[in-house]
Amino acid sequence: MSVDSAPPSGQTTGGPHFDFQDAQTGDLGVLAAIADAMKSDSLADRLESLKRLSVLALAIGEERTREELIPFLDESIDDEDELLLSLAEVLGDFVQYVGGPKYAYVLLRPLENLAAAEETVAVESINKLVELMDQPQVEEYLIPCVARLSAGEWFTS
């Protein structure tokens, strides 16, 4: 699976391309539909795709979810408030799909970006992760995350 900036031939939608053709399990049609919905211009389609991210994560496995799906989501963060809220909620309950508590830190980066965008749900999701992280992970990943967030500029609308 690869994340690249070129759309598949014949498609004109913008944004990164997430290639699901080599998914190990699951219905490739369903996976392709989720992928297409994630980069759709329609907010409703993108929201629906977030609800089905667990299907995609199960199909591609924990390692590929950590190494490909989470970075894809982080790079694809949109400015639609409803989408940001939904993504923050999903990521807070996504630990099982990245390999369990041992890999909970992987979810911090996109949640940090969401928290920096003033999504309070992202902070709540970070709190869920903290409960699962061990002391070395807290020191290595969480403390720098909190330091970056505390040093950021906050703008309110």
Side-chain angles (χ1 to χ4, degrees):
M1 180 174 313
S2 63
V3 178
D4 58 53
S5 58
S9 60
Q11 288 189 2
T12 58
T13 58
H17 169 60
F18 203 62
D19 178 9
F20 298 105
Q21 295 306 308
D22 60 344
Q24 309 254 330
T25 60
D27 180 353
L28 291 182
V30 171
L31 300 179
I34 294 170
D36 287 344
M38 289 173 67
K39 57 189 174 180
S40 170
D41 290 336
S42 164
L43 177 60
D45 288 348
R46 289 180 291 173
L47 285 169
E48 185 60 33
S49 72
L50 289 178
K51 292 177 186 173
R52 300 187 312 184
L53 275 182
S54 60
V55 172
L56 177 57
L58 286 171
I60 65 175
E62 296 167 348
E63 182 177 351
R64 292 178 75 191
T65 297
R66 288 190 305 270
E67 295 177 4
E68 299 173 33
L69 180 58
I70 298 303
F72 171 78
L73 292 171
D74 191 28
E75 293 168 7
S76 302
I77 290 178
D78 193 295
D79 62 353
E80 295 281 345
D81 286 343
E82 193 174 355
L83 193 66
L84 296 175
L85 175 69
S86 182
L87 180 57
E89 288 174 345
V90 167
L91 291 177
D93 295 322
F94 221 66
V95 171
Q96 66 183 347
Y97 303 110
V98 297
K102 177 179 177 182
Y103 296 102
Y105 69 89
V106 171
L107 299 167
L108 280 176
R109 190 64 182 170
L111 286 169
E112 176 183 343
N113 291 334
L114 290 166
E118 297 190 45
E119 286 301 322
T120 57
V121 173
V123 175
E124 293 168 9
S125 290
I126 289 171
N127 287 336
K128 286 182 181 180
L129 297 182
V130 171
E131 293 176 14
L132 301 172
M133 296 171 75
D134 61 23
Q135 187 64 31
Q137 287 180 330
V138 168
E139 292 172 5
E140 185 174 351
Y141 301 105
L142 180 67
I143 291 173
C145 170
V146 171
R148 285 188 299 270
L149 285 170
S150 67
E153 296 182 32
W154 296 93
F155 298 95
T156 57
S157 45

